[in-house]
Amino acid sequence: SVSPIVNKYWKATEIMGSEVVVSENMKREPHLIIRSNGEFSAGGGCNSIFGQFKLEGKNRISFSKIGMSEMACMFDNFDQELVEVLNSTSQFIMVDDEHMQLVVGKRAPLARFKVVYF
């Protein structure tokens, strides 16, 4: 069975405790796309973030080989915070069909996402 988080576009609504507000300067809204081939792509509002992930058990996830494009961004964005989230995450939680959290341990969610259907 395919994990409920795979092959979906996840719009970030909160990253490291901060509400995600998309400014007009941002190239794209902060997001995460988890693909069935084991690769992910993401963005924090300026740069592209990419790498690999592994799912284990019911809801364990780990991200690896995380890379980021190197554009200079003169506006607020979540690039570094999102990379930090991906580096730290050990599990995901499906709150309901459309909302997911990335977490580590019992602390507050590292990030919250809402699925966007195109």
Side-chain angles (χ1 to χ4, degrees):
S1 67
V2 177
S3 169
I5 66 171
V6 169
N7 292 333
K8 291 192 177 120
Y9 178 100
W10 294 101
K11 171 184 171 166
T13 58
E14 185 185 292
I15 295 174
M16 304 288 277
S18 298
E19 181 187 355
V20 173
V21 178
V22 180
S23 70
E24 51 195 50
N25 291 328
M26 284 188 182
K27 310 272 189 284
R28 284 182 72 180
E29 65 189 6
H31 67 281
L32 172 65
I33 302 169
I34 298 177
R35 298 193 168 81
S36 56
N37 65 356
E39 295 178 355
F40 77 88
S41 59
C46 181
N47 281 280
S48 300
I49 302 166
F50 44 85
Q52 299 177 358
F53 72 92
K54 187 192 266 171
L55 292 167
E56 290 176 299
K58 193 162 91 72
N59 66 338
R60 293 191 68 76
I61 188 166
S62 56
F63 295 92
S64 61
K65 300 194 171 129
I66 300 169
M68 184 167 73
S69 59
E70 294 183 6
M71 288 186 294
C73 310
M74 297 301 157
F75 52 86
D76 286 345
N77 63 78
F78 289 90
D79 291 356
Q80 294 297 339
E81 289 87 346
L82 189 52
V83 167
E84 199 175 320
V85 165
L86 296 171
N87 272 314
S88 304
T89 293
S90 64
Q91 287 173 292
F92 67 89
I93 295 170
M94 291 297 295
V95 181
D96 57 32
D97 287 347
E98 298 194 342
H99 295 84
M100 172 186 70
Q101 300 174 354
L102 293 179
V103 299
V104 58
K106 298 271 182 259
R107 289 181 284 176
L110 295 168
R112 301 176 195 264
F113 298 86
K114 181 182 194 322
V115 76
V116 175
Y117 296 107
F118 292 106

